[in-house]
């Protein structure tokens, strides 16, 4: 994936999050706080774990390959939106992380 593709993914992710904020305002009178976003992310991260267990046949659920795929992507979406809300440039953060980790090896 080139950087322009990642830029498009980030923009689309933030556009979708803004639409959810509008639904939150309409339904609850306020958009979710940063903490509520973080808790929603953690819930979805836990569901990734359950779906991996289902994939490995160690959790009593139907084969959930489609759900696992969805939740993995949703977790990336959450991380993009959390980075944005905390003022972190996710592209720069990824570059730093990858470089630091590569240098360990």
């Amino acid at each position: 994936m080139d950087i322009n593709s990642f830029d498009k993914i980030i923009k689309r992710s933030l556009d979708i999050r803004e639409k959810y904020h509008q639904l939150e305002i309409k339904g609850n009178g306020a958009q979710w706080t940063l903490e509520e976003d973080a808790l929603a992310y953690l819930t979805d991260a836990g569901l990734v774990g359950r779906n991996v267990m289902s994939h490995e046949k160690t959790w009593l659920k139907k084969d959930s390959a489609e759900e696992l795929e969805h939740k993995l992507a949703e977790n990336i979406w959450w991380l993009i939106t959390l980075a944005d809300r905390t003022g972190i440039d996710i592209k720069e953060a990824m570059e730093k992380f990858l470089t630091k980790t590569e240098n360990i090896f």
Side-chain angles (χ1 to χ4, degrees), residues 28-39:
N28 300 320
Q31 72 181 34
W32 282 6
T33 64
L34 176 58
E35 292 88 353
E36 288 169 317
D37 277 1
L39 287 170

Side-chain angles (χ1 to χ4, degrees), residues 34 80-90 92-93:
L34 176 58
I80 289 169
T81 61
L82 288 169
D84 181 70
R85 288 197 75 182
T86 57
I88 294 171
D89 181 327
I90 194 65
E92 185 178 312

Side-chain angles (χ1 to χ4, degrees), residues 18-67:
E18 182 55 37
K19 289 176 182 168
Y20 273 114
H21 283 316
Q22 296 309 312
L23 286 174
E24 294 156 6
I25 291 167
K26 185 178 179 180
N28 300 320
Q31 72 181 34
W32 282 6
T33 64
L34 176 58
E35 292 88 353
E36 288 169 317
D37 277 1
L39 287 170
Y41 160 69
L42 291 173
T43 298
D44 285 333
L47 291 172
V48 167
R50 286 293 172 118
N51 285 310
V52 168
M53 290 174 71
S54 178
H55 174 77
E56 292 298 298
K57 310 291 189 245
T58 59
W59 180 249
L60 301 177
K61 187 176 178 182
K62 64 178 170 48
D63 182 27
S64 59
E66 186 176 325
E67 189 175 342

Side-chain angles (χ1 to χ4, degrees), residues 20 41 44 69-79:
Y20 273 114
Y41 160 69
D44 285 333
E69 178 183 279
H70 177 85
K71 284 298 173 188
L72 286 169
E74 189 173 19
N75 274 259
I76 293 168
W77 174 77
W78 273 120
L79 292 170

